[in-house]
Amino acid sequence: MEISARNSLKGTVKKVIHGSVNTEITLELGPGVELVSIITKSSAEKLSLVEGKQAYAVIKSSDVIVAVD
């Protein structure tokens, strides 16, 4: 797989919650480290995303917000 985004994080699908249009995917990147994404239901089905499957979170830097207290 080659992509133009510079940030890809490999993880394991921990939870899949299907809605009528969108699906919420929780990836476990490491022990206690999770990332949640909302994608279309059709994309989740096309990728065959199920608990236990390996997947990548691909993050485009223009869509990442950084904050501090």
Side-chain angles (χ1 to χ4, degrees):
M1 172 180 69
E2 292 189 36
I3 55 175
S4 63
R6 296 180 187 264
N7 304 296
S8 64
L9 306 168
K10 188 175 184 179
T12 303
V13 177
K14 183 174 182 179
K15 187 177 0 175
V16 178
I17 301 173
H18 292 288
S20 58
V21 176
N22 292 322
T23 298
E24 181 178 302
I25 306 294
T26 302
L27 288 181
E28 184 172 47
L29 305 177
V33 180
E34 296 179 354
L35 184 140
V36 179
S37 179
I38 305 290
I39 64 174
T40 63
K41 184 176 180 181
S42 62
S43 291
E45 291 169 350
K46 181 179 177 184
L47 294 170
S48 302
L49 293 175
V50 294
E51 292 179 14
K53 183 171 184 169
Q54 298 265 307
Y56 291 86
V58 180
I59 302 167
K60 183 111 171 120
S61 61
S62 60
D63 296 329
V64 175
I65 299 170
V66 176
V68 297
D69 284 329

